[in-house]
Amino acid sequence: MLLPIPDLLGADDVAYILEQLGAAEWVDGRATAGAQSREMKRNTQLPENSPVAKALGDRILDALAQNSLFISAALPLRIFPPLFNKYEGGGAFDAHVDNAIRGVPGTPVRLRTDLSATLFLTEPDSYDGGELLIETPFGAQEVKLPAGSMVLYPSSSLHRVAPVTRGARIASFFWMQSMIRSSDDRAMLFDLDQSIQALSREKGLNDPLVLNLSAVYHNMIRRLAET
């Protein structure tokens, strides 16, 4: 499932993050690439142990925790601390698949990367190129979202970032392990949850059909979830 999460961050949050990033020290982005993708990656990023990255990442995690669309789609168990990258001057990331397992630096925590996320921080008209191209069964899907919006997609997907030929594309990126391992099960639960929410808006939370479907939804999670 490839899902845009619109307006995860408001304009004030985006402006604050960009201000902090503007004063930060950037390093070669190949530091977080796996052995195979290291030669394909041409960008810069904040170091993983950067206090700025940690503070801004916490701000993003707070926004994620309050976003019902994200929670419904991802059903997250663990989220890798958000990282930040910048593409400019022809920078790109050739086709690759994200590493299956990520260790959180400075901790014993390791997570399986079920889902990947890119949170766009610069407006699409401020740079040329930089599209995120994700391979799907229906062909490559091109993603270039407004600042503050995020796309969620399977970490198993082959994807790439097109060269940036004007301006700078700044984004946050991270991975998560879902409580629901199967992507098919996650998609089914997402569709069910979205239908329940729509029905509850029409009939009310205490409608017997809404209550019955909600029970089915939570019992399915109880059966499928890994914790």
Side-chain angles (χ1 to χ4, degrees), residues 5 10 24 39 43 46 48 54 89 108 111 121 142 179 186 190 202 216:
I5 310 287
E39 299 306 315
N43 66 6
L46 260 60
E48 291 187 31
K54 172 69 166 61
L111 59 86
L121 296 171
E142 182 178 296
M179 291 185 290
R186 278 199 308 275
F190 176 71
E202 178 184 335
V216 171

Side-chain angles (χ1 to χ4, degrees), residues 160-221:
R160 62 186 177 92
V161 176
V164 172
T165 57
R166 177 185 65 89
R169 173 201 193 266
I170 301 174
S172 177
F173 64 103
F174 49 96
W175 306 271
M176 64 219 69
Q177 179 174 335
S178 176
M179 291 185 290
I180 309 300
R181 182 167 188 160
S182 164
S183 59
D184 288 341
D185 289 341
R186 278 199 308 275
M188 175 180 61
L189 287 166
F190 176 71
D191 288 342
L192 177 57
D193 185 39
Q194 294 301 297
S195 297
I196 292 169
Q197 291 187 41
L199 191 63
S200 68
R201 288 191 292 270
E202 178 184 335
K203 295 180 172 293
L205 292 172
N206 294 322
D207 179 82
L209 181 58
V210 171
L211 291 171
N212 183 61
L213 289 174
S214 296
V216 171
Y217 172 78
H218 287 287
N219 286 330
M220 287 177 66
I221 290 181

Side-chain angles (χ1 to χ4, degrees), residues 98-158:
D98 291 335
N99 290 351
I101 303 293
R102 287 274 177 180
V104 179
T107 78
V109 176
R110 295 168 65 81
L111 59 86
R112 182 185 65 240
T113 57
D114 295 322
L115 293 162
S116 299
T118 296
L119 169 60
F120 292 81
L121 296 171
T122 41
E123 294 294 353
D125 61 359
S126 69
Y127 60 96
D128 291 336
E131 296 84 2
L132 175 63
L133 295 133
I134 304 167
E135 292 293 339
T136 76
F138 307 102
Q141 301 296 303
E142 182 178 296
V143 183
K144 189 174 181 178
L145 300 178
S149 294
M150 184 179 86
V151 64
L152 194 65
Y153 58 98
S155 298
S156 57
S157 302
L158 190 68

